[in-house]
Amino acid sequence: MAERRHGTPAPATGSTVTGQDWEGAQLSGERHERVAFVRADLSEAVTEGAVFTECTFRDSRFNASRHTGAAFLNCTFTGCSFFDATFTDCKTTGSMFDRCTFDLLTVEGGDWSFTGLPGADLRRASFSGVRLREADLTGARIGGTVHRCDLSGAWLHSADLSGCDLRGSEITGLNPLETKVAGATIDPEQALVLASALGVRIR
């Protein structure tokens, strides 16, 4: 079972549902707490205002799903697929993603603070206006778009942001000696932040 930062174990679940078929379903206002979903299919599902609290998703599919105002609080995702999924103004606070795939994932707005994405391949994912405060991105590969995101306190050690478009994002905690940023696109203000981190003077 994946662990959170600082070694905190994932919450225990109280029940298990195997093979849940939500393909193309409308899940408005759904509420689930401490349920383990195994091989659930949420392909093309739409969740509006749904709340999943301390749930576990194992080997589940979220392909082409659409989530608006939904919350996945302190959840665990293991071996899940998020191909072409869209999250708009959603919360994944405290959730952990382990061995998941994120091709063409789109995240717009919302709060992904304290979310664990260590080692994630996010090179074809897009984040815009997302709160990622203290998110664990250790060793993650982030080569897509990260516009106007709050990365305050995010763990970026050994992360690879090569080629990433970071314009407008808060990156004061980014250490270019510990994070790869070759070919990344930044704005003038961010350039000053990185120069300061390197200890150089601009005159």
Side-chain angles (χ1 to χ4, degrees), residues 7 35 53 55 74 80 84-85 87 96 100 111 114 119 143 145 148 159 178 199 203:
V35 180
T53 304
C55 291
N74 210 24
C80 297
D84 197 28
F87 289 80
M96 178 73 178
C100 297
D111 191 350
F114 305 101
T145 300
R148 305 184 311 282
E178 297 180 348
R203 295 181 178 176

Side-chain angles (χ1 to χ4, degrees), residues 143-161:
T145 300
V146 183
H147 280 170
R148 305 184 311 282
C149 293
D150 184 357
L151 290 163
S152 301
W155 291 22
L156 292 165
H157 182 75
S158 298
D160 188 350
L161 277 64

Side-chain angles (χ1 to χ4, degrees), residues 40-58:
D41 188 358
L42 287 88
S43 300
E44 300 185 12
V46 176
T47 65
E48 293 186 4
V51 178
F52 295 84
T53 304
E54 297 187 347
C55 291
T56 295
F57 293 87
R58 288 196 292 270

Side-chain angles (χ1 to χ4, degrees), residues 32-188:
H32 298 276
E33 184 172 354
R34 294 198 169 188
V35 180
F37 294 98
V38 181
R39 296 189 299 279
D41 188 358
L42 287 88
S43 300
E44 300 185 12
V46 176
T47 65
E48 293 186 4
V51 178
F52 295 84
T53 304
E54 297 187 347
C55 291
T56 295
F57 293 87
R58 288 196 292 270
D59 302 321
S60 298
R61 295 190 297 274
F62 291 79
N63 301 333
S65 57
R66 300 291 179 266
H67 310 273
T68 304
F72 296 86
L73 307 175
N74 210 24
C75 292
T76 301
F77 300 86
T78 303
C80 297
S81 172
F82 292 89
F83 175 76
D84 197 28
T86 299
F87 289 80
T88 304
D89 296 327
C90 294
K91 290 184 179 181
T92 65
T93 311
S95 291
M96 178 73 178
F97 294 82
D98 179 41
R99 294 182 288 107
C100 297
T101 57
F102 304 96
D103 284 351
L104 302 183
L105 169 72
T106 299
V107 183
E108 298 179 348
D111 191 350
W112 287 51
S113 298
F114 305 101
T115 296
L117 290 157
D121 186 348
L122 301 168
R123 289 175 295 179
R124 300 184 66 196
S126 172
F127 292 81
S128 178
V130 184
R131 185 181 175 95
L132 286 159
R133 294 177 65 89
E134 298 193 47
D136 186 355
L137 295 165
T138 305
R141 290 172 289 173
I142 312 169
T145 300
V146 183
H147 280 170
R148 305 184 311 282
C149 293
D150 184 357
L151 290 163
S152 301
W155 291 22
L156 292 165
H157 182 75
S158 298
D160 188 350
L161 277 64
S162 301
C164 183
D165 189 342
L166 291 165
R167 287 176 294 178
S169 292
E170 165 60 57
I171 60 169
T172 53
L174 191 159
N175 185 343
L177 298 178
E178 297 180 348
T179 304
K180 295 180 180 179
V181 292
T185 302
I186 58 177
D187 56 39

Side-chain angles (χ1 to χ4, degrees), residues 180-200:
K180 295 180 180 179
V181 292
T185 302
I186 58 177
D187 56 39
E189 184 176 343
Q190 291 171 322
L192 293 174
V193 171
L194 293 185
S196 176
L198 289 170
V200 300

